Structures are given as structure tokens and as C-alpha cells.
């Protein structure tokens, strides 16, 4: 079937009134201010009678609302629908293509983790194609202070929750580089928030470096963290700013896919 035949087949089953309703909705979404019936009809070339019936139907279902001066804007129903869509998103499925892109552009192994019972829980992993493979696995847990994803999560936790986790889990030493002092750890978290990504430099395992960044949702709630993991010899100190920024941008892209509207991560943490 050629393109002309396909187009004819697709338009054969169109519902004209529904097409007009969708055009009205999309137009109201694009406009900064409410629009009157006459302006809508002129812009969309829709007869006033058709527009009147469509607008009344949409208004009765709260898809649009009428302002005091008789103009129209989108209604609250779309907030309910968008919230439902966002709540049903599987963050693993959503993040996977971004993780693959980060893996392919950096050539490092990529992890996705969430906070679970005061620990970082790996929920997805994209292994690099190199000779060295890391023994991390989906379902593995890491203490917050010895993993990149853990530090990225910890940096954006409310202070009472962070204190509760540190009281319960402590800051046990894993290597000579591990931060074991709570005040020092909190100072490190301030640095993470200021630069937008965390650095875990042989703090959990000698010879291994991780760079990680947080992921937020539409309600600006912390949802997860993403990281790259590399051998120290494969990720030199001079490369950290560039790769760290790449991780941060990937985390921001995933956040925006979840509905996060800010262009930067928060500097201050909630009380």
C-alpha cells in the first residue's frame, strides 16, 4: 500500500468532531492566555456552532474552564490525567534508554538505584563492553556513604531522615578513603549539591571510582540516582568534571522525562 492509500485509510475512520476537540485542546495548551470562541474559530477555521458544542462538552467534563470574561483555558482534568500517567511510569523502563546512551558515550558501566530501608538498592544495570566486568547486580544493596548512587541519594534527603539513617547504619570503614565522620560526610553532601553530582573515589572498594547524580519526579521528589562505575586507571582525575557533567545531564534528562520542570537540581535540601 502506497502513502496515498495509507493516508486515505487512516482518514476514513477519523471522527471530525473529535479532531476539532483535540485541536482546541492543543491550541489552548499552546497559548499563554485564555482564548475566546471567535478567536478559536478564526485560528482553527472551525464553525462557531461546532465550536460551541465542543467547548460546552469539554467544559462539562472539566477538560477546559471558562473564565469570568467568557474565554476558555485548560481545566484541572489534565492535572489528574498527567499525575496518573507519571505515577504509572516504570522508572527502570523509562531510564533504560538514557542509561544505554550514557554507557555508550562514556564506555563505563551504568547503575540505577533507589533508596530502600536506608540503603541504595540497585534496580537496573547496563554493563559496558570492556574486558573488565563489575560484580554488582540488580537487587544488591550498598550503604550510602560508600557508593556513588548512595552519596547522590543522601545529598538530597531531609536532614532528620539522613540523621536517622546514619544513626542506624553508621559509617563503617571499607577502605582508607572511606568517610567515617558524620560531619565530614555532611560537608561532602553540600559539595555534591553545589556541583550536581557525587564522586565516590575508592571509598567502597580500592581501585574503583563512581560518579552519580540524583533523579527527581514531577513533584520534585527524589526518586532515584544514576551512576557510572569505572576502574580508577580508566577514569583519571582530569576526566571527572567532564564525565560528572555527563552523568548529571543524563540524570536531569530522566528527571524531565518524569515531569521534573526545573533545569537544575536543588541546592538546598528540605527540612
Amino acid at each position: 500500500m502506497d502513502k496515498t492509500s495509507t493516508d486515505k485509510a487512516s482518514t476514513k475512520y477519523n471522527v471530525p468532531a473529535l479532531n476539532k476537540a483535540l485541536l482546541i485542546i492543543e491550541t489552548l495548551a499552546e497559548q499563554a492566555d485564555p482564548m475566546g470562541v471567535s478567536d478559536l474559530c478564526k485560528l482553527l477555521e472551525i464553525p462557531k456552532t461546532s465550536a460551541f458544542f465542543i467547548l460546552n462538552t469539554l467544559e462539562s467534563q472539566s477538560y477546559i474552564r471558562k473564565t469570568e470574561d467568557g474565554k476558555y483555558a485548560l481545566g484541572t482534568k489534565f492535572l489528574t490525567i498527567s499525575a496518573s500517567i507519571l505515577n504509572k511510569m516504570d522508572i527502570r523502563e523509562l531510564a533504560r534508554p538514557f542509561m544505554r546512551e550514557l554507557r555508550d558515550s562514556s564506555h563505563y558501566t551504568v547503575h540505577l538505584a533507589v533508596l530502600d530501608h536506608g540503603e541504595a538498592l540497585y534496580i537496573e544495570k547496563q554493563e559496558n563492553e570492556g574486558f573488565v566486568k563489575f560484580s554488582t547486580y540488580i537487587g544488591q544493596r550498598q550503604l550510602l556513604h560508600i557508593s556513588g548512587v548512595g552519596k547522590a541519594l543522601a545529598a538530597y534527603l531531609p536532614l532528620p531522615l539522613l540523621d536517622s539513617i546514619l544513626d542506624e547504619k553508621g559509617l563503617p570503614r571499607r577502605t582508607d578513603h572511606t568517610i567515617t565522620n558524620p560531619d565530614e560526610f555532611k560537608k561532602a553532601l553540600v559539595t555534591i549539591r553545589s556541583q550536581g553530582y557525587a564522586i565516590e573515589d575508592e571509598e567502597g572498594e580500592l581501585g574503583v571510582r563512581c560518579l552519580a547524580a540524583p533523579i527527581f519526579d514531577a513533584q520534585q521528589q527524589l526518586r532515584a540516582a544514576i551512576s557510572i562505575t569505572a576502574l580508577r586507571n580508566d577514569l583519571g582525575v582530569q576526566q571527572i568534571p567532564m564525565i560528572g557533567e555527563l552523568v548529571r545531564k543524563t540524570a536531569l534528562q530522566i528527571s524531565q522525562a518524569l515531569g521534573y520542570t526545573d533545569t537544575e537540581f536543588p541546592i538546598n535540601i528540605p527540612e
Side-chain angles (χ1 to χ4, degrees):
M1 184 181 293
D2 60 25
K3 185 179 186 300
T4 302
S5 300
T6 303
D7 291 343
K8 288 181 179 179
S10 62
T11 56
K12 177 181 178 181
Y13 300 103
N14 281 353
V15 180
L18 182 56
N19 280 339
K20 292 184 178 72
L22 293 173
L23 279 174
I24 289 173
I25 289 171
E26 290 172 358
T27 300
L28 292 176
E30 293 170 354
Q31 301 302 312
D33 300 311
M35 295 185 68
V37 178
S38 297
D39 291 334
L40 278 168
C41 293
K42 183 178 179 180
L43 181 64
L44 302 177
E45 300 180 347
I46 297 175
K48 278 194 175 182
T49 303
S50 298
F52 176 79
F53 285 116
I54 291 170
L55 289 167
N56 273 276
T57 301
L58 292 173
E59 184 184 6
S60 70
Q61 298 297 321
S62 299
Y63 285 100
I64 64 173
R65 60 180 177 84
K66 187 185 287 187
T67 63
E68 291 183 356
D69 56 356
K71 295 182 178 181
Y72 292 92
L74 292 186
T76 56
K77 180 65 72 69
F78 287 104
L79 294 175
T80 304
I81 292 173
S82 62
S84 176
I85 293 170
L86 292 170
N87 287 336
K88 292 175 182 176
M89 280 185 176
D90 181 345
I91 192 169
R92 288 181 61 197
E93 181 178 351
L94 183 145
R96 204 169 282 132
F98 295 99
M99 294 177 67
R100 284 196 288 262
E101 184 176 347
L102 178 59
R103 176 200 62 192
D104 294 343
S105 59
S106 68
H107 306 293
Y108 302 124
T109 294
V110 180
H111 293 99
L112 182 71
V114 296
L115 183 70
D116 185 72
H117 293 86
E119 297 174 332
L121 173 67
Y122 290 133
I123 61 171
E124 185 58 72
K125 177 182 179 181
Q126 292 294 322
E127 189 81 66
N128 72 356
E129 300 299 324
F131 176 76
V132 176
K133 304 296 182 183
F134 294 97
S135 59
T136 51
Y137 56 89
I138 295 173
Q140 182 178 358
R141 295 175 177 275
Q142 295 275 19
L143 293 175
L144 299 185
H145 71 300
I146 60 168
S147 61
V149 286
K151 294 174 76 173
L153 290 168
Y156 296 90
L157 295 179
L159 191 56
L161 176 56
L162 177 62
D163 285 336
S164 176
I165 292 172
L166 296 183
D167 287 343
E168 178 186 354
K169 305 292 183 179
L171 295 167
R173 184 179 299 278
R174 290 292 177 83
T175 75
D176 290 340
H177 304 279
T178 305
I179 299 175
T180 58
N181 180 279
D183 291 334
E184 186 181 345
F185 184 59
K186 290 176 183 177
K187 287 180 182 178
L189 301 183
V190 173
T191 301
I192 291 170
R193 291 193 295 274
S194 68
Q195 64 189 11
Y197 62 90
I199 303 172
E200 184 269 296
D201 192 3
E202 299 187 278
E203 296 159 57
E205 183 178 351
L206 290 176
V208 176
R209 281 180 172 146
C210 299
L211 305 178
I215 294 169
F216 292 85
D217 62 18
Q219 289 73 43
Q220 298 193 339
Q221 297 296 308
L222 181 65
R223 284 287 301 274
I226 187 173
S227 72
I228 62 95
T229 300
L231 293 178
R232 180 178 180 274
N233 292 338
D234 293 335
L235 178 59
V237 173
Q238 70 279 3
Q239 296 173 277
I240 288 178
M242 180 185 69
I243 301 299
E245 182 62 15
L246 185 61
V247 174
R248 188 193 69 83
K249 287 183 177 179
T250 302
L252 189 57
Q253 289 176 329
I254 299 172
S255 298
Q256 291 169 341
L258 287 168
Y260 184 71
T261 55
D262 287 355
T263 57
E264 300 291 342
F265 295 130
I267 298 296
N268 299 316
I269 56 174
E271 296 296 331

